[in-house]
């Protein structure tokens, strides 16, 4: 609901693209897919939303996610573009307790949770291998202009 209010459309195109990317990853024709979810207090941080995303990602077979805490670094740009501060919702920055609650929702469903900068791609592939025994995947991904190749058996 919040996505439609603030972005003007549903998140269905995002989900469709994610499903196609995961399918390509699993078939070996696409890169490693790493979902990132912004945690925006009062919008994306409620238990219903987090649980729905955890279930959705789990059903896709994804076992990792990065949760990004909301920040207000774009406030100056909005002013520059002519948005008046009184038109913008007052959003607080998530604290450590908010992040811990969000992480717990995903972890309870077997999804490893990272914050920005904590991601370790080779470790994720190793975890994925352990959780998906019998599945062979060949993943290619570029991270900071370096190509990583992974075989998961």
């Amino acid at each position: 609901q919040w996505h439609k209010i603030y972005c003007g459309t549903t998140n269905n195109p995002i989900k469709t693209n994610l499903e196609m990317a995961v399918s390509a990853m699993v078939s070996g024709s696409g890169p490693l897919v790493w979902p990132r979810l912004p945690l925006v207090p009062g919008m994306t941080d409620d238990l219903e939303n987090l649980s729905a995303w955890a279930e959705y990602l789990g059903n896709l077979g994804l076992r990792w996610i990065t949760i990004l805490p909301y920040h207000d670094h774009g406030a100056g740009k909005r002013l520059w573009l002519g948005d008046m501060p009184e038109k913008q919702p007052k959003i607080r920055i998530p604290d450590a307790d908010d992040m811990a609650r969000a992480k717990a929702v995903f972890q309870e469903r077997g999804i490893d949770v990272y914050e920005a900068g904590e991601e370790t791609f080779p470790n994720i592939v190793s975890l994925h291998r352990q959780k998906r025994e019998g599945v062979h995947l060949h993943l290619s991904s570029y991270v900071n202009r370096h190509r990583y190749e992974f075989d998961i058996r």
Side-chain angles (χ1 to χ4, degrees), residues 47-79:
L47 182 60
E48 182 181 348
N49 181 64
L50 294 170
S51 296
W53 274 106
E55 181 178 349
Y56 177 73
L57 295 176
N59 289 340
L60 288 176
L62 292 172
R63 299 291 179 255
W64 52 82
I65 187 171
T66 297
I67 296 180
L68 305 167
Y70 167 80
H71 61 75
D72 60 359
H73 299 162
K77 185 174 184 177
R78 287 195 302 270
L79 285 172

Side-chain angles (χ1 to χ4, degrees), residues 102-118:
K103 286 180 179 183
V105 171
F106 289 91
Q107 290 168 337
E108 287 169 4
R109 288 162 179 82
I111 297 174
D112 297 312
V113 183
Y114 299 83
E115 290 185 40
E118 293 179 341

Side-chain angles (χ1 to χ4, degrees), residues 16-37:
T16 299
N17 287 340
L18 181 59
E19 291 163 11
M20 289 188 310
V22 169
S23 177
M25 177 185 77
V26 170
S27 74
S29 64
L32 177 66
V33 175
W34 194 296
R36 296 165 62 97
L37 179 72

Side-chain angles (χ1 to χ4, degrees), residues 5 80 96:
I5 291 169
W80 180 73

Side-chain angles (χ1 to χ4, degrees), residues 50-141:
L50 294 170
S51 296
W53 274 106
E55 181 178 349
Y56 177 73
L57 295 176
N59 289 340
L60 288 176
L62 292 172
R63 299 291 179 255
W64 52 82
I65 187 171
T66 297
I67 296 180
L68 305 167
Y70 167 80
H71 61 75
D72 60 359
H73 299 162
K77 185 174 184 177
R78 287 195 302 270
L79 285 172
W80 180 73
L81 291 170
D83 264 351
M84 296 292 108
E86 61 273 6
K87 292 183 182 179
Q88 297 300 319
K90 301 290 183 230
I91 303 170
R92 68 178 179 78
I93 296 171
D95 60 25
D97 289 338
D98 297 321
M99 294 297 288
R101 276 191 296 278
K103 286 180 179 183
V105 171
F106 289 91
Q107 290 168 337
E108 287 169 4
R109 288 162 179 82
I111 297 174
D112 297 312
V113 183
Y114 299 83
E115 290 185 40
E118 293 179 341
E119 302 97 335
T120 54
F121 297 98
N123 289 347
I124 286 299
V125 172
S126 174
L127 289 170
H128 190 64
R129 180 182 305 133
Q130 294 168 13
K131 293 180 180 179
R132 304 279 256 155
E133 287 183 6
V135 175
H136 174 247
L137 300 175
H138 178 81
L139 307 175
S140 298
S141 185

